[in-house]
Amino acid sequence: MSNPEKEYALYKGDKLLAIGTAMGLADRFGVKVSTIHFYKSPAYIKRTSEKKARRLVEI
């Protein structure tokens, strides 16, 4: 049995930017996979505005 990749939704404020895997989102937005994962970290959330920053939500 294979382990499927997790799916994520990427938001900017209330606007849904994209849905996909971390690697797919990284390719689409031209950033590293580690950057995509950083969008859901407590440090990033604490440093940035809810309306202006990107937020990653696991679905």
Side-chain angles (χ1 to χ4, degrees), residues 15-56:
K15 182 180 177 187
L16 176 64
L17 298 178
I19 296 176
T21 63
M23 185 168 285
L25 293 171
D27 288 341
R28 182 169 179 177
F29 292 99
V31 297
K32 295 179 184 178
V33 175
S34 60
T35 302
I36 295 295
H37 288 291
F38 185 63
Y39 291 153
K40 68 176 181 172
S41 73
Y44 179 77
I45 292 169
K46 186 177 176 182
R47 289 182 206 164
T48 57
S49 162
E50 187 71 31
K51 293 184 181 191
K52 294 183 180 181
R54 294 177 177 173
R55 296 286 190 255
L56 187 68

